[in-house]
Amino acid sequence: MSADNFETDESSAAVGGIAADRLRSIIERIERLEEERKALAGDIKDIYTEAKSAGFDTKVIRQIIRLRKQEPAEVEEQETLLDIYRRALGM
């Protein structure tokens, strides 16, 4: 095989043992997802702005969302500890 035939097709070329097409595909997929995430973050920010203008406390909304992601037993354990700590401090 001559050097001319080794890399005739750039799409299937491997450079330094790396499949260039596969690497390019992975990078482009990540870039697309990062753009989508950026757009979603903007949408979420808009919803928080809407909630704030409707009179809702956005810190509390964020806390509720964080709690909803947790397992019920974990939430209960945290609430129990919070209650114990409050009582220990006389709150």
Side-chain angles (χ1 to χ4, degrees):
M1 178 181 248
S2 71
D4 293 329
N5 292 335
F6 183 69
E7 288 190 27
T8 56
D9 185 7
E10 183 181 321
S11 65
S12 63
V15 179
I18 297 174
D21 271 359
R22 181 72 191 268
L23 178 59
R24 186 177 297 106
S25 172
I26 289 169
I27 290 171
E28 288 171 353
R29 287 170 35 212
I30 291 169
E31 288 172 339
R32 277 193 304 274
L33 289 172
E34 285 178 348
E35 284 298 316
E36 289 177 26
R37 179 171 44 186
K38 186 177 176 182
L40 288 172
D43 292 346
I44 291 169
K45 183 179 176 184
D46 292 345
I47 294 170
Y48 278 114
T49 300
E50 177 185 338
K52 187 174 184 175
S53 68
F56 294 106
D57 187 325
T58 57
K59 287 181 184 179
V60 175
I61 290 174
R62 290 179 195 277
Q63 187 175 10
I64 289 171
I65 291 170
R66 189 171 52 252
L67 288 171
R68 287 171 55 117
K69 291 178 185 177
Q70 296 176 346
E71 294 294 322
E74 189 179 347
V75 173
E76 185 176 338
E77 180 182 349
Q78 287 178 0
E79 288 175 349
T80 300
L81 283 172
L82 182 62
D83 185 50
I84 290 170
Y85 292 176
R86 282 180 173 163
R87 283 188 280 139
L89 296 172
M91 295 175 72

